[in-house]
Structure formats: structure tokens, C-alpha cells
Amino acid sequence: MRHDTPRLTDQQVLLHARSRLQAHLPLHADGYRCTTHDLLQVLLGVAVNQGTIEAICADLHHAPDPATIRRYLNAQLRADDLPDLEQGVNAALAAEIPQYVWAHARDVAIDFHDRPYYGTAPQATGLWVRGPAKAGTTRFYRVATAYVMLHGVRVTLAVHFVRPTDDTVAVLDTLLQRLERHSLRPKRLFLDKGFASSAVIAYLTQRQQPALIACPIRGTTGGTRALCRGRHSYRTRYTFTSPDHPPVTADLAVCRVFTTAQRTQRHIRQARWLLFILIQLDLTPQQVRRQYRRRFGIESSYRCTRQVRGWTTSRNVAYRFVVLALSFVLQNVWLHLRWRFTQVARRGRRWLDTRRFPLTRFAKFLRRALERHYGYVHVIVAPAVPRL
């Protein structure tokens, strides 16, 4: 390694992340103990420590009072400002994406991500949505994300906060419009079972947008379950019906796959059926299965965001969205810095030595920079002499 190559320090990581938030989030403070930098740095501390404002301010010695931080956030983050917050978050996401990503049509995956909500606020003010029971509740705060499928790199392109009144087509249209603002037309869309509906099929067909959608198996003897017959995969045509939309006929790939039980030797090897809706695509069932497996990178992206996602029980919907969206922004910041500072020169395309800067190290860099800036509590004094 040459000695004149650039170096990345924990202080530089903190400055880069803070400047990105300051440029795109409408947050400011002008107190004598709490400035805009303090406000943003506490938010970064909440994210990388996976904690709360109270816990972070208590652990950092010279940090502002947590009540002061909450007062600034609640005054500037309101539910009515969610559209502006979404726009700022999406601008922050796009600012960290290399220009070559936007230069060509890319395969894009779109998915819903839910966070459980255990409060008692009514849906009209809480803006939570219903969903299948998970983590002890059926109430969730939901965001929809668009993610580019490029060389195994998990890059989030856009985020949309899903409201109770939003339907699936409206969410999909919003994300696609945001991609078009950056002159990115998806080469192919990869959608999960939540988008398998007549309205979505009709919408994508009208747009002439190639897409691959996972289809749920419904019915006992009829419905899509009636297609799961035979010993081989095949393609067919199927008409989807809905009480709210006219019938839509689409191509369907019926894939017969086998579990990995034979490899793990845990139980008897079993055959299973997977269904996929094809729109403007001409692929064999084997190609469909192989291509759709690439979509699961978006699930890995969600698991990575857990390492830089804060915790809150606040009733403020806008603050909840910021905490959730901040994890996606920090993930893009990490990818940007990793791409810049881990390149290994070699003949041909450069290789990234990703072991130099994993996400855990990125979070530790931010944590250490904050501790160096504010100091941290490393000793406590007993209020009285203990009785033995």
C-alpha cells in the first residue's frame, strides 16, 4: 500500500454523515447548549448505538439534555411535514449513489418494510397500517423501498412512507416516479407477493414495464393451487380476478423446486411449488427462479439496517419515520465510503477489499468520534459509603 493514498478517520466519517443530514433534513437549533451540529450528532448516536435519545445523552458526558433534543425535534418534525421529509431523505439517498448507477437501466427490487407499533394512537393520527400478525401486533409503520440489484451491492434508491390510505399501485407509482426524476428507468422490476394483484398487473402492463412478481398460492382445490400439479416446471396463462378490479390475464411460471433438506440431512427431501407472474418477459421457469433469487439481497439490506437503526417509543410519526429512514441513509453513506476507500488496484476492473470497512466498523467509527467529541461516562461515584 502506498503512503500517499487517502486515509479515512472516524472524525471524517462523522463529518461526512453529519453534513449529509444537514444538507437534506430541515433540522436546526440555535441554543447556547444545543446547536444544529449537536442535534444531528445525537441522531447519529441514536442510530449507531441502536438506542434512544435518553440513553445516548446520558452516556455522552457533555451532550445536551435529552429534553432539549426532544423539544427541538418535536417542534420541527410534524406529521404534516412528511412529504418534505421524504423528499429530503430521498435526496440524501441519491447523493451517496455513484453516478454510474444512474447511467444505465438497472434491475430494481421494490419491497415493503414493517416496524411494529404497540401504541394506542388512532390510525387517523398515528398513520399506522394493518398487516398480518407479527412480533405480537397487527399494527405497523411501513415504508416501501426501491433497491438496485448491481454486482451484489445493496444500494437503496428511494424510500416512501406508506399511509393507511395508500394502495399498492399508488406506492409503486410514487417510487417509479422518483426513480424517473433521476433519469433511471428500471430494466426489470422484482416484486414480492405483496404486489401480486390485478391492479398492479394492469398498471405495469399499461406502462410496458418488464416485471417479475412472486405469486402466492391460494385456494384449496381451485385458484392458483390448482396449477401445482405434475412433476415438471412449466409456463401457462392465468386470469386473476378481483371484486374491485376487472379480470387480468398474465403469464405465469409454475416452478417445481426442492428443499435443501437433502444437503442439510435434517429431514426427507421434499418438492415445493413456486409461482411467478411475468410481465413483458420471456423466460423459462428455470431462468425465472434463478433471476428472482437475486431479489433476496433486499432482505439482506434490511438486516444490515438493524445495525444503524435507533429505537423510540415516541408518538411523533415524523420522528419515527426519520429514525427508520436514517438507517437507510447511513447504509448508503457506508457503501459510498467503502467504495472510495477500499479499492485495490489491479489489472482490469478494481476490486473492493470489503474486509477493511465492514458496517460494524463504520458504526464504531461514528460511535468513537462522538465519544471523543463529547466525552463519555466511564466512572460513577457512590452517593454514600456502602454498608457491608
Side-chain angles (χ1 to χ4, degrees):
M1 182 178 64
R2 298 178 58 183
H3 295 288
D4 58 349
T5 55
R7 300 170 67 241
L8 180 65
T9 65
D10 55 357
Q11 187 65 25
Q12 291 173 337
V13 173
L14 176 61
L15 291 176
H16 182 87
R18 189 186 68 197
S19 63
R20 187 62 66 207
L21 297 184
Q22 187 171 1
H24 298 288
L25 287 184
L27 295 175
H28 64 276
D30 54 1
Y32 67 93
R33 285 296 306 272
C34 181
T35 64
T36 302
H37 286 178
D38 294 321
L39 196 62
L40 299 175
Q41 287 174 169
V42 169
L43 279 179
L44 291 173
V46 168
V48 298
N49 287 280
Q50 305 172 47
T52 63
I53 294 176
E54 190 78 27
I56 300 307
C57 293
D59 192 56
L60 298 176
H61 190 62
H62 296 291
D65 187 79
T68 303
I69 297 292
R70 287 195 295 268
R71 184 169 64 251
Y72 276 114
L73 292 177
N74 289 329
Q76 300 176 51
L77 298 177
R78 298 180 296 270
D80 295 339
D81 300 328
L82 276 172
D84 295 334
L85 288 174
E86 282 187 21
Q87 185 176 356
V89 167
N90 282 283
L93 290 171
E96 298 296 330
I97 299 175
Q99 190 61 37
Y100 72 87
V101 174
W102 309 104
H104 305 282
R106 305 291 184 184
D107 289 340
V108 174
I110 295 179
D111 199 3
F112 291 115
H113 181 58
D114 293 344
R115 294 296 301 158
Y117 173 66
Y118 302 100
T120 58
Q123 190 175 34
T125 57
L127 298 183
W128 45 265
V129 299
R130 289 283 186 184
K134 182 174 62 175
T137 184
T138 59
R139 302 179 177 184
F140 303 93
Y141 281 108
R142 177 173 296 168
V143 294
T145 60
Y147 144 82
V148 67
M149 304 167 66
L150 180 64
H151 305 312
V153 179
R154 309 173 185 96
V155 182
T156 304
L157 301 176
V159 174
H160 173 66
F161 181 79
V162 180
R163 297 161 179 78
T165 56
D166 292 346
D167 59 5
T168 309
V169 174
V171 172
L172 188 58
D173 183 68
T174 299
L175 290 175
L176 292 179
Q177 286 183 11
R178 285 178 177 162
L179 297 182
E180 289 176 354
R181 294 193 189 105
H182 296 283
S183 302
L184 176 64
R185 179 173 177 82
K187 181 180 179 181
R188 292 176 297 186
L189 284 182
F190 291 76
L191 309 176
D192 74 340
K193 296 179 181 179
F195 293 88
S197 66
S198 303
V200 171
I201 296 173
Y203 168 76
L204 294 176
T205 303
Q206 182 181 4
R207 284 180 59 102
Q208 296 184 350
Q209 172 63 58
L212 187 59
I213 310 174
C215 181
I217 300 177
R218 296 193 176 99
T220 53
T221 58
T224 53
R225 190 173 297 276
L227 303 174
C228 303
R229 299 289 187 271
R231 301 180 61 88
H232 302 284
S233 302
Y234 64 96
R235 279 187 54 170
T236 185
R237 298 278 291 177
Y238 185 82
T239 300
F240 294 87
T241 59
S242 171
D244 301 324
H245 300 90
V248 176
T249 302
D251 292 324
L252 206 65
V254 184
C255 303
R256 189 171 187 258
V257 299
F258 293 90
T259 63
T260 58
Q262 187 179 34
R263 174 176 58 83
T264 58
Q265 298 182 355
R266 288 180 295 185
H267 51 78
I268 299 175
R269 184 169 178 254
Q270 295 180 349
R272 293 185 180 178
W273 293 95
L274 298 175
L275 306 183
F276 300 95
I277 303 169
L278 288 81
I279 301 176
Q280 303 286 331
L281 291 175
D282 186 15
L283 302 173
T284 65
Q286 291 75 21
Q287 291 174 328
V288 168
R289 172 61 175 158
R290 186 166 55 250
Q291 292 292 329
Y292 193 81
R293 285 174 64 89
R294 299 173 54 229
R295 194 205 71 89
F296 291 103
I298 197 171
E299 307 297 342
S300 300
S301 177
Y302 292 150
R303 286 192 292 270
C304 288
T305 57
R306 297 175 189 172
Q307 302 181 45
V308 287
R309 185 173 63 216
W311 178 261
T312 181
T313 57
S314 174
R315 299 179 181 179
N316 189 333
V317 179
Y319 175 66
R320 282 180 173 267
F321 170 72
V322 168
V323 170
L324 184 55
L326 182 58
S327 62
F328 294 102
V329 174
L330 289 180
Q331 188 181 32
N332 275 17
V333 170
W334 163 63
L335 289 172
H336 174 80
L337 295 175
R338 190 183 70 170
W339 178 74
R340 288 186 56 191
F341 290 94
T342 65
Q343 295 182 21
V344 178
R346 63 173 183 173
R347 182 175 298 177
R349 178 181 294 175
R350 289 198 170 188
W351 170 67
L352 298 183
D353 186 6
T354 57
R355 294 175 298 178
R356 290 180 177 271
F357 198 54
L359 184 57
T360 53
R361 181 165 295 173
F362 168 76
K364 288 179 181 178
F365 270 32
L366 285 174
R367 192 178 304 125
R368 291 165 183 165
L370 290 173
E371 290 175 350
R372 186 180 298 110
H373 180 78
Y374 291 108
Y376 59 93
V377 177
H378 57 88
V379 62
I380 62 171
V381 179
V385 177
R387 293 182 178 179
L388 303 178

